[in-house]
Amino acid sequence: MELSPSAHADSFCRDRLPPFSLWPQLHFDLPELRYPDRLNAAQRLLDDAVDRWGPDRPCLLTPTESWTYGELQRRANQVAQVLTEDFALRPGNRVLLRGPNNPWLVATWFGVLKAGGVAVTTMPLLRATELAELSDISRPAVAVCDHRFLDELTAAGTPGPTVITYGGAGEGDLTRRCAGKSGTFTAVDTAADDVALIAFTSGTTGRPKATLHFHRDILANADTFSRHVLKPCRDDVFAGTPPLAFTFGLGGLVVFPLHVGASTLLVEQATPEQLAELVADRQVTVLLTAPTAYRAIMAAGVTHKLSGLRRCVSAGEALPAKVWEEFHAATGHRIIDGIGATEMLHVFISAADQDIRPGSTGRPVPGYRARIVDEQGDPVPDGQPGLLAVTGPTGCRYMDDPRQSTYVRHGWNVTGDTYVRDQDGYFWYVARSDDMIVSSGYNIAGPEVEKALATHSCVEECAVVGVPDAKRGMLVKAYVVLRPGVRADEATVRELQNHVKQTIAPYKYPRAIEFLGELPRTSNGKLQRGELRRRAGSGVS
């Protein structure tokens, strides 16, 4: 296997790709997946859209403003000018992005890609310790941050990147700098297999894994799941809750709508009820969110506000058949379920319309292949549970990480999910195969929560597991052994929960805490997480 000549002057990412022998199989079976050797995803998604549909089409919407395709193009070009002219950004340099879902975050993402940089979009809820770790792994040259989210980035104390804020009033603010630029910029002639973005996925060790994705990968998800399953049209209005740092959000709220000339409603924060209001008020036709939100919309009695929807998409966690049936009965909409992975960039198994079987994730998206295998990588018979293995035009490439050989086995991406395939080729989710807790669509590594809890002076030791929950899918539960003299009461529970919220991203905090005299361990002292899961599942207290 050979890579195309790179446009990157900074070879940091290409130097840290896994050896070809550890890459998954890649195949480009569909005609639309046969991309040219030179390709810049920003040029294809944005510049080509302006050339095709004109600059005046609505593109990025918010509850208070609207940008056209031409306005987004001009601002993305200005961002690229600021980065290259004012901060000497070179192709291949990483740019860390921090902010909620809003137009300037999107403009900056496109500006980075146009300049040949590598976008490292981070969750706005991340705390200083988490940001420091991601920065240490990706080593950005520049960090661009919404001015309202600067405190944690400053507290991270990362020595490398120059920090630029946007949306504020300072002279050096990105928006002010952009106003002084012409808005004319020719996108760097990147290779289709130059790295365009680094996306992080939490590992069960607590150490985030950096996944490297090429310019062609960004388009491949639009030319598979979006083109063949979602099937959007240019008059659609997209909206949803996933942050753009999640590849589910990046695809569903930026790549897919722009790929067809549609518009997207960006919402910084919204309760399920508020989301339903926005769907009605802004005539949203494609909604992307987690099963938790669909449940909450039904519980709030506002499903009638979704009557204008054409598509509902669920991802981030398994969609229970009961939720699908109840939502269909209440709205008439058939939720498109799907499984994706940060390693694969987006959804690779799904179904739509009459092909949907409630409770099943679906069948492989055109362009992908999937099978169920045992621990040795051999296929298992239909009806028998095993490990989900996938190949397609995208695949796992961890950055300088020994866990590559665990995720990619015999050329297949092994996702860590246990599935069953039926005789009709439909895939049915069974469980996660590792210690990851998937709660309300968020992936939460139990050891990371344990590490945060252990820094509190009241905690002697602790363990964190996932507990089945009707609303969230899974609930983060902590078993804590307190130091002598500390009261095992509700006040201590609240204190520990608040401590975790202040230490790591708040959504990771343990919603349930149980105090034990000691943690279950094997004779050689190894923590028995399985025993705690059984205890949690049986309701023992």
Side-chain angles (χ1 to χ4, degrees):
M1 185 181 298
E2 291 186 5
L3 295 174
S4 301
S6 176
H8 287 179
D10 178 353
S11 62
F12 177 89
C13 289
R14 186 165 278 198
D15 291 344
R16 287 161 177 77
L17 286 166
F20 287 141
S21 61
L22 297 180
W23 281 36
Q25 301 171 25
L26 295 173
H27 41 85
F28 306 90
D29 299 336
L30 306 175
E32 52 268 29
L33 295 174
R34 293 164 194 163
Y35 303 111
D37 290 341
R38 312 309 296 181
L39 176 70
N40 187 301
Q43 183 176 29
R44 178 68 68 90
L45 289 171
L46 185 51
D47 296 347
D48 288 2
V50 172
D51 291 343
R52 182 174 180 182
W53 293 296
D56 298 327
R57 280 191 65 76
C59 183
L60 304 182
L61 316 173
T62 77
T64 59
E65 61 181 328
S66 173
W67 288 16
T68 65
Y69 272 82
E71 288 170 330
L72 175 59
Q73 182 189 43
R74 176 168 54 84
R75 286 165 179 155
N77 286 342
Q78 289 171 330
V79 169
Q81 287 180 283
V82 168
L83 291 173
T84 57
E85 296 170 9
D86 298 3
F87 296 95
L89 186 83
R90 298 188 304 154
N93 285 165
R94 280 75 55 217
V95 180
L96 187 146
L97 306 180
R98 173 171 168 80
N101 291 4
N102 58 38
W104 274 104
L105 181 64
V106 177
T108 304
W109 186 83
F110 275 109
V112 170
L113 265 60
K114 282 195 160 212
V118 178
V120 186
T121 310
T122 62
M123 285 279 294
L125 291 177
L126 294 183
R127 300 298 193 189
T129 54
E130 297 160 309
L131 290 168
E133 189 168 35
L134 301 192
S135 182
D136 179 63
I137 294 170
S138 61
R139 299 182 196 176
V142 177
V144 182
C145 180
D146 186 302
H147 74 286
R148 298 166 294 173
F149 292 79
L150 184 60
D151 288 351
E152 292 290 339
L153 185 60
T154 302
T158 51
T162 299
V163 178
I164 314 169
T165 58
Y166 66 87
E171 284 297 324
D173 191 86
L174 177 64
T175 50
R176 288 202 171 195
R177 287 180 178 273
C178 285
K181 301 297 183 181
S182 67
T184 301
F185 188 88
T186 301
V188 170
D189 186 29
T190 46
D193 51 20
D194 271 333
V195 174
L197 62 92
I198 298 175
F200 285 95
T201 180
S202 294
T204 57
T205 63
R207 174 75 171 174
K209 292 170 283 190
T211 64
L212 300 171
H213 295 291
F214 298 155
H215 282 266
R216 71 173 183 227
D217 298 335
I218 295 170
L219 298 177
N221 288 121
D223 283 323
T224 52
F225 171 71
S226 183
R227 180 190 291 265
H228 293 279
V229 180
L230 189 58
K231 298 180 180 177
C233 62
R234 68 176 188 150
D235 292 328
D236 275 322
V237 179
F238 285 66
T241 55
L244 300 186
F246 283 177
T247 53
F248 176 44
L250 177 66
L253 298 177
V254 177
V255 177
F256 298 168
L258 268 68
H259 192 250
V260 295
S263 60
T264 184
L265 173 66
L266 299 174
V267 182
E268 292 194 359
Q269 190 173 11
T271 65
E273 296 92 329
Q274 291 168 335
L275 184 62
E277 290 280 356
L278 287 168
V279 167
D281 293 345
R282 303 306 297 267
Q283 298 179 304
V284 171
T285 58
V286 181
L287 179 64
L288 303 98
T289 191
T292 307
Y294 289 115
R295 289 190 194 99
I297 289 171
M298 288 189 288
V302 291
T303 53
H304 61 281
K305 295 184 179 295
L306 306 183
S307 60
L309 287 175
R310 197 175 66 81
R311 291 294 205 208
C312 297
V313 182
S314 174
E317 61 185 335
L319 176 68
K322 182 180 179 182
V323 175
W324 193 97
E325 296 283 9
E326 290 176 349
F327 191 82
H328 182 246
T331 65
H333 297 311
R334 304 171 68 85
I335 298 177
I336 298 173
D337 193 13
I339 180 174
T342 306
E343 289 85 352
M344 304 294 290
L345 199 55
H346 215 276
V347 172
F348 48 80
I349 293 178
S350 187
D353 305 319
Q354 299 305 314
D355 289 334
I356 293 172
R357 293 188 181 180
S360 166
T361 307
R363 292 186 285 193
V365 168
Y368 288 90
R369 306 168 191 171
R371 65 183 186 179
I372 307 301
V373 300
D374 59 21
E375 288 288 349
Q376 287 70 47
D378 296 321
V380 303
D382 287 343
Q384 180 176 322
L387 301 174
L388 177 63
V390 188
T391 60
T394 62
C396 178
R397 289 180 292 265
Y398 287 141
M399 186 175 76
D400 197 18
D401 195 311
R403 290 170 288 188
Q404 177 76 16
S405 60
T406 301
Y407 199 93
V408 177
R409 309 180 204 173
H410 310 291
W412 290 78
N413 301 276
V414 180
T415 67
D417 298 281
T418 299
Y419 262 79
V420 169
R421 186 180 68 181
D422 66 22
Q423 61 182 2
D424 296 324
Y426 280 80
F427 286 74
W428 300 78
Y429 176 78
V430 177
R432 282 293 295 175
S433 306
D434 56 21
D435 291 329
M436 189 67 68
I437 303 166
V438 184
S439 180
S440 296
Y442 290 97
N443 288 339
I444 302 168
E448 185 183 21
V449 184
E450 292 169 5
K451 183 179 178 181
L453 270 173
T455 62
H456 194 284
S457 60
C458 291
V459 176
E460 182 72 35
E461 59 177 347
C462 62
V464 172
V465 298
V467 182
D469 181 76
K471 290 184 178 180
R472 300 177 182 276
M474 296 288 284
L475 200 69
V476 179
K477 181 168 184 176
Y479 289 92
V480 176
V481 178
L482 295 170
R483 293 187 184 277
V486 180
R487 295 175 63 88
D489 56 17
E490 282 300 312
T492 302
V493 168
R494 290 193 296 273
E495 183 176 343
L496 294 178
Q497 289 173 327
N498 288 332
H499 173 74
V500 173
K501 290 179 184 179
Q502 295 300 317
T503 306
I504 57 179
Y507 67 84
K508 300 177 182 178
Y509 85 95
R511 293 178 181 271
I513 294 180
E514 183 175 337
F515 299 115
L516 299 178
E518 60 181 8
L519 297 179
R521 297 187 179 277
T522 63
S523 57
N524 62 3
K526 185 177 179 181
L527 178 66
Q528 293 180 301
R529 293 183 186 277
E531 179 59 33
L532 290 176
R533 291 193 192 94
R534 286 190 290 273
R535 180 188 184 99
S538 65
V540 174
S541 61

PDB file of all heavy atoms in Angstrom, residues 476-490:
ATOM      1  N   VAL A 476     -24.071   5.659  35.031  1.00  0.00           N
ATOM      2  CA  VAL A 476     -22.760   5.556  35.673  1.00  0.00           C
ATOM      3  C   VAL A 476     -22.966   5.381  37.178  1.00  0.00           C
ATOM      4  O   VAL A 476     -23.559   6.236  37.832  1.00  0.00           O
ATOM      5  CB  VAL A 476     -21.910   6.804  35.403  1.00  0.00           C
ATOM      6  CG1 VAL A 476     -20.557   6.695  36.111  1.00  0.00           C
ATOM      7  CG2 VAL A 476     -21.712   7.010  33.907  1.00  0.00           C
ATOM      8  N   LYS A 477     -22.502   4.250  37.698  1.00  0.00           N
ATOM      9  CA  LYS A 477     -22.631   4.001  39.132  1.00  0.00           C
ATOM     10  C   LYS A 477     -21.258   3.775  39.744  1.00  0.00           C
ATOM     11  O   LYS A 477     -20.432   3.027  39.207  1.00  0.00           O
ATOM     12  CB  LYS A 477     -23.512   2.780  39.410  1.00  0.00           C
ATOM     13  CG  LYS A 477     -23.678   2.501  40.909  1.00  0.00           C
ATOM     14  CD  LYS A 477     -24.763   1.496  41.207  1.00  0.00           C
ATOM     15  CE  LYS A 477     -24.950   1.347  42.718  1.00  0.00           C
ATOM     16  NZ  LYS A 477     -26.067   0.435  43.049  1.00  0.00           N
ATOM     17  N   ALA A 478     -21.026   4.415  40.874  1.00  0.00           N
ATOM     18  CA  ALA A 478     -19.757   4.288  41.582  1.00  0.00           C
ATOM     19  C   ALA A 478     -19.954   3.530  42.887  1.00  0.00           C
ATOM     20  O   ALA A 478     -20.915   3.787  43.620  1.00  0.00           O
ATOM     21  CB  ALA A 478     -19.177   5.666  41.875  1.00  0.00           C
ATOM     22  N   TYR A 479     -19.061   2.600  43.131  1.00  0.00           N
ATOM     23  CA  TYR A 479     -18.982   1.926  44.426  1.00  0.00           C
ATOM     24  C   TYR A 479     -17.771   2.508  45.155  1.00  0.00           C
ATOM     25  O   TYR A 479     -16.643   2.464  44.631  1.00  0.00           O
ATOM     26  CB  TYR A 479     -18.839   0.419  44.242  1.00  0.00           C
ATOM     27  CG  TYR A 479     -20.105  -0.231  43.729  1.00  0.00           C
ATOM     28  CD1 TYR A 479     -20.308  -0.408  42.368  1.00  0.00           C
ATOM     29  CD2 TYR A 479     -21.100  -0.656  44.606  1.00  0.00           C
ATOM     30  CE1 TYR A 479     -21.469  -0.995  41.889  1.00  0.00           C
ATOM     31  CE2 TYR A 479     -22.261  -1.245  44.141  1.00  0.00           C
ATOM     32  CZ  TYR A 479     -22.447  -1.411  42.792  1.00  0.00           C
ATOM     33  OH  TYR A 479     -23.598  -1.994  42.326  1.00  0.00           O
ATOM     34  N   VAL A 480     -18.019   3.071  46.330  1.00  0.00           N
ATOM     35  CA  VAL A 480     -16.977   3.848  47.013  1.00  0.00           C
ATOM     36  C   VAL A 480     -16.734   3.307  48.420  1.00  0.00           C
ATOM     37  O   VAL A 480     -17.691   3.066  49.179  1.00  0.00           O
ATOM     38  CB  VAL A 480     -17.373   5.344  47.093  1.00  0.00           C
ATOM     39  CG1 VAL A 480     -16.334   6.135  47.890  1.00  0.00           C
ATOM     40  CG2 VAL A 480     -17.533   5.928  45.687  1.00  0.00           C
ATOM     41  N   VAL A 481     -15.472   3.127  48.740  1.00  0.00           N
ATOM     42  CA  VAL A 481     -15.054   2.837  50.111  1.00  0.00           C
ATOM     43  C   VAL A 481     -14.529   4.141  50.704  1.00  0.00           C
ATOM     44  O   VAL A 481     -13.568   4.723  50.169  1.00  0.00           O
ATOM     45  CB  VAL A 481     -13.961   1.751  50.155  1.00  0.00           C
ATOM     46  CG1 VAL A 481     -13.511   1.502  51.601  1.00  0.00           C
ATOM     47  CG2 VAL A 481     -14.468   0.459  49.523  1.00  0.00           C
ATOM     48  N   LEU A 482     -15.168   4.626  51.744  1.00  0.00           N
ATOM     49  CA  LEU A 482     -14.802   5.914  52.341  1.00  0.00           C
ATOM     50  C   LEU A 482     -13.668   5.763  53.344  1.00  0.00           C
ATOM     51  O   LEU A 482     -13.473   4.699  53.940  1.00  0.00           O
ATOM     52  CB  LEU A 482     -16.019   6.534  53.030  1.00  0.00           C
ATOM     53  CG  LEU A 482     -17.189   6.933  52.112  1.00  0.00           C
ATOM     54  CD1 LEU A 482     -18.403   7.304  52.950  1.00  0.00           C
ATOM     55  CD2 LEU A 482     -16.785   8.105  51.205  1.00  0.00           C
ATOM     56  N   ARG A 483     -12.938   6.832  53.558  1.00  0.00           N
ATOM     57  CA  ARG A 483     -11.903   6.844  54.590  1.00  0.00           C
ATOM     58  C   ARG A 483     -12.568   6.825  55.969  1.00  0.00           C
ATOM     59  O   ARG A 483     -13.734   7.245  56.124  1.00  0.00           O
ATOM     60  CB  ARG A 483     -11.027   8.087  54.439  1.00  0.00           C
ATOM     61  CG  ARG A 483     -10.185   8.081  53.166  1.00  0.00           C
ATOM     62  CD  ARG A 483      -9.221   9.252  53.142  1.00  0.00           C
ATOM     63  NE  ARG A 483      -8.479   9.312  51.889  1.00  0.00           N
ATOM     64  CZ  ARG A 483      -7.398   8.605  51.623  1.00  0.00           C
ATOM     65  NH1 ARG A 483      -6.901   7.775  52.545  1.00  0.00           N
ATOM     66  NH2 ARG A 483      -6.781   8.723  50.457  1.00  0.00           N
ATOM     67  N   PRO A 484     -11.888   6.339  56.977  1.00  0.00           N
ATOM     68  CA  PRO A 484     -12.461   6.273  58.331  1.00  0.00           C
ATOM     69  C   PRO A 484     -12.955   7.638  58.805  1.00  0.00           C
ATOM     70  O   PRO A 484     -12.296   8.662  58.581  1.00  0.00           O
ATOM     71  CB  PRO A 484     -11.287   5.784  59.185  1.00  0.00           C
ATOM     72  CG  PRO A 484     -10.416   5.037  58.232  1.00  0.00           C
ATOM     73  CD  PRO A 484     -10.526   5.750  56.933  1.00  0.00           C
ATOM     74  N   GLY A 485     -14.125   7.633  59.421  1.00  0.00           N
ATOM     75  CA  GLY A 485     -14.682   8.852  59.981  1.00  0.00           C
ATOM     76  C   GLY A 485     -15.576   9.637  59.056  1.00  0.00           C
ATOM     77  O   GLY A 485     -16.244  10.578  59.491  1.00  0.00           O
ATOM     78  N   VAL A 486     -15.636   9.275  57.751  1.00  0.00           N
ATOM     79  CA  VAL A 486     -16.488   9.989  56.799  1.00  0.00           C
ATOM     80  C   VAL A 486     -17.876   9.366  56.810  1.00  0.00           C
ATOM     81  O   VAL A 486     -18.025   8.146  56.753  1.00  0.00           O
ATOM     82  CB  VAL A 486     -15.895   9.941  55.378  1.00  0.00           C
ATOM     83  CG1 VAL A 486     -16.808  10.693  54.406  1.00  0.00           C
ATOM     84  CG2 VAL A 486     -14.499  10.534  55.365  1.00  0.00           C
ATOM     85  N   ARG A 487     -18.899  10.220  56.898  1.00  0.00           N
ATOM     86  CA  ARG A 487     -20.275   9.726  56.959  1.00  0.00           C
ATOM     87  C   ARG A 487     -20.751   9.271  55.584  1.00  0.00           C
ATOM     88  O   ARG A 487     -20.590   9.978  54.586  1.00  0.00           O
ATOM     89  CB  ARG A 487     -21.209  10.822  57.485  1.00  0.00           C
ATOM     90  CG  ARG A 487     -20.926  11.221  58.927  1.00  0.00           C
ATOM     91  CD  ARG A 487     -21.818  12.384  59.328  1.00  0.00           C
ATOM     92  NE  ARG A 487     -23.225  12.021  59.296  1.00  0.00           N
ATOM     93  CZ  ARG A 487     -23.886  11.485  60.324  1.00  0.00           C
ATOM     94  NH1 ARG A 487     -23.241  11.241  61.467  1.00  0.00           N
ATOM     95  NH2 ARG A 487     -25.162  11.199  60.229  1.00  0.00           N
ATOM     96  N   ALA A 488     -21.349   8.086  55.533  1.00  0.00           N
ATOM     97  CA  ALA A 488     -21.901   7.543  54.294  1.00  0.00           C
ATOM     98  C   ALA A 488     -23.343   8.009  54.148  1.00  0.00           C
ATOM     99  O   ALA A 488     -24.296   7.243  54.350  1.00  0.00           O
ATOM    100  CB  ALA A 488     -21.819   6.019  54.306  1.00  0.00           C
ATOM    101  N   ASP A 489     -23.518   9.279  53.786  1.00  0.00           N
ATOM    102  CA  ASP A 489     -24.867   9.848  53.700  1.00  0.00           C
ATOM    103  C   ASP A 489     -25.051  10.613  52.391  1.00  0.00           C
ATOM    104  O   ASP A 489     -24.130  10.700  51.562  1.00  0.00           O
ATOM    105  CB  ASP A 489     -25.147  10.751  54.900  1.00  0.00           C
ATOM    106  CG  ASP A 489     -24.110  11.871  55.063  1.00  0.00           C
ATOM    107  OD1 ASP A 489     -23.381  12.145  54.078  1.00  0.00           O
ATOM    108  OD2 ASP A 489     -24.034  12.461  56.147  1.00  0.00           O
ATOM    109  N   GLU A 490     -26.230  11.173  52.219  1.00  0.00           N
ATOM    110  CA  GLU A 490     -26.549  11.873  50.976  1.00  0.00           C
ATOM    111  C   GLU A 490     -25.674  13.100  50.773  1.00  0.00           C
ATOM    112  O   GLU A 490     -25.361  13.466  49.633  1.00  0.00           O
ATOM    113  CB  GLU A 490     -28.030  12.276  50.958  1.00  0.00           C
ATOM    114  CG  GLU A 490     -28.975  11.132  50.627  1.00  0.00           C
ATOM    115  CD  GLU A 490     -28.686  10.536  49.266  1.00  0.00           C
ATOM    116  OE1 GLU A 490     -28.534  11.315  48.291  1.00  0.00           O
ATOM    117  OE2 GLU A 490     -28.595   9.297  49.170  1.00  0.00           O
TER     118      GLU A 490
END
